[in-house]
Amino acid sequence: MSMFSTGILVLTSPLHTLPLRIAPVLSSAAQLVDRTLYVHLHPGLNLGGGSQPRPVFIPPVVDLSALITRLYSNAADVCGHLDVRVLLTNVRAQSAACSGTMTPNCPFPTPQSLSHSPEVVLTDFALQDPGQSHQVTQCLQRYTGHCYVCSPSLPSVLLHPQLTRLQEKEEGLKDPEEKEEPLETYTDVVVGGTFDRLHGAHKTLLNISCLLASRRFLIGVCDQAMLKKKVLKELIEPYSLRVQRLQEFLQDTKPSLQVEIVPLDDPFGVSIIDPQLQCIVVSEETRKGGEAVNKKRLENGLPALVLHEIQLLKDAHHTETEEEKISSSSLRSRLLGTLLIPPKDASHLPPLPYVIGLTGGSGSGKSSIARQLEAFGAVRIDCDKLGHEVYQPSAAGYHRVLEEFGSDILNEDKTINRRALGRKVFGNQERLKALTDIVWPEIALLVKNRVSQARDEGKEVCVVDAAVLLEASWTDLVHEVWVSIIPEEEAVLRITERDGVTTEDAVRRLESQWSSSKQVEHANVVLSTLWEPEVTRKQVLKAWNLLQKRIHQRQEGQ
């Protein structure tokens, strides 16, 4: 069967049997859906009973909370490429369902619109009689159309995971007749976090918060000041994009909630001053933060919040350098070496050699990456060395520099004393620009000559190792821009150890360069030498192998 971009999975198995069935059902669904999978819960739904079933409210119970955690955990393991979203429009305590103008047991007065239009509806409903297949799929299609806006001709698929072997295990599960333990709910619930690249752990936190909240859900999203210590902070999505994705997810998940999203500039935000809040959702990792919030609230004369703790989700695919839990920092580290944005049009350049422009701040390990790429077969063009050539008496730039800055910058052998020249431009932007206006175009000419020479030698890849690649606007010389980044504190340590300068001098040097964040805005590929050399080597090898694929695909397409 063909793949669908977006699907709805209607889970009908009783709540006590679902935990063991989730993984095989998700695995089956992932064979049909490749982007977004919405999950609609209706335990005990009978699609083969003869009459058309209607959606009803299901109560928030403790087992439902555990199921949601299990579902996102299994999704990360068996279908990590899918954007799985558990829908909670039909989950509400009976007292709330029957209040106001809402019709009792009717969670969908009109079909709910979803941010991604469903192309297929799937279910785990097990047929008792194979002859009922057509009747059940039609029933499923009508049921789904009553709940969500979708095409009248929405295809319906009955999933048939291998469930028979699970029955023995299911016998030891909770007695289905045993009364479910209700989940305590609250009018106003608060959470805080970075919410970078929404993953299963975020979705668990958000879904359970939506289960707990009956009126308002307040979310503090980390902004600039709270991101400074984050690993690979340069790769964190912009605040506006993170908020947009949160809004979309929550509008799909529980549109009846009043959602408020505010920037978080300190660990507490509005959680310590909002008198209406009743509950804060934390993990075992952030529980101390929740306790600190309560301490502040008490100091402010406000009642303490109920701390509702959720489990951390284990990351079955984590590497030695990544956290054991599912985390945004691990996802960001997996982006290193991959193509973040497609290369710009470089039709003005010959297709070969394919030219990589490699840059990065002082101490970022840029040159060590360039040497590794050279070992893989690339021709390395070191712009720092080319800069030395520009100052040689035989170079055209030599005479222009003397005209601009005077002969007192010469050594006895008539070579330019770069330290003396540096003193003339240090701290003077106008004089520095006068120098770079002479030197940078000359270096660019030398780069073009080296690339041309590599082409004549039949080389496939050149790496232009240039600290000022972006500042000098040399991006028109290259097919792709690669940027090496490390935290500023680590860069300062490396510069002081390597060059024997003071911490203050190292900081000033970094401040005179483009920041890592600004460089990353122009990067097709980002690398980092923050970890052990072997980790960097694997990262660069990954980048190199992916580059080879891009070059060969490009050649095939021409």
Side-chain angles (χ1 to χ4, degrees), residues 319-321 333 336-338 369 372-373 376 527-528 531-546:
T319 65
E320 290 178 13
T321 60
S333 73
L336 295 171
T338 67
I369 290 171
Q372 289 183 53
L373 290 170
F376 291 145
L527 301 156
S528 179
W531 299 278
E532 297 299 317
E534 179 57 23
V535 176
T536 303
R537 197 195 72 79
K538 288 179 181 176
Q539 203 183 103
V540 177
L541 179 60
K542 175 171 77 171
W544 176 259
N545 288 337
L546 291 172

Side-chain angles (χ1 to χ4, degrees), residues 153-202:
S153 56
L154 190 73
S156 303
V157 179
L158 305 181
L159 300 176
H160 300 290
Q162 301 300 310
L163 298 176
T164 49
R165 57 194 169 85
L166 298 176
Q167 286 176 357
E168 250 182 62
K169 294 181 182 177
E170 288 172 358
E171 286 174 9
L173 294 177
K174 183 175 177 179
D175 182 352
E177 300 302 317
E178 190 179 323
K179 192 169 176 60
E180 298 284 359
E181 181 186 349
L183 188 70
E184 187 73 35
T185 59
Y186 309 89
T187 57
D188 296 64
V189 172
V190 64
V191 299
T194 307
F195 298 103
D196 178 41
R197 294 177 171 80
L198 280 185
H199 50 64
H202 290 141

Side-chain angles (χ1 to χ4, degrees), residues 279-339:
C279 172
I280 183 169
V281 185
V282 297
S283 68
E284 54 197 87
E285 191 179 64
T286 61
R287 185 177 184 88
K288 286 186 178 177
E291 290 169 352
V293 164
N294 275 341
K295 186 179 177 185
K296 289 280 188 182
R297 282 181 69 88
L298 293 173
E299 289 172 6
N300 292 338
L302 295 173
L305 302 174
V306 173
L307 297 185
H308 184 96
E309 186 177 317
I310 64 169
Q311 287 177 255
L312 290 171
L313 298 194
K314 298 292 184 185
D315 186 349
H317 308 289
H318 77 278
T319 65
E320 290 178 13
T321 60
E322 295 173 350
E323 296 179 89
E324 287 188 16
K325 63 169 187 172
I326 294 176
S327 74
S328 299
S329 58
S330 294
L331 296 184
R332 290 194 295 275
S333 73
R334 291 170 200 173
L335 293 174
L336 295 171
T338 67
L339 191 67

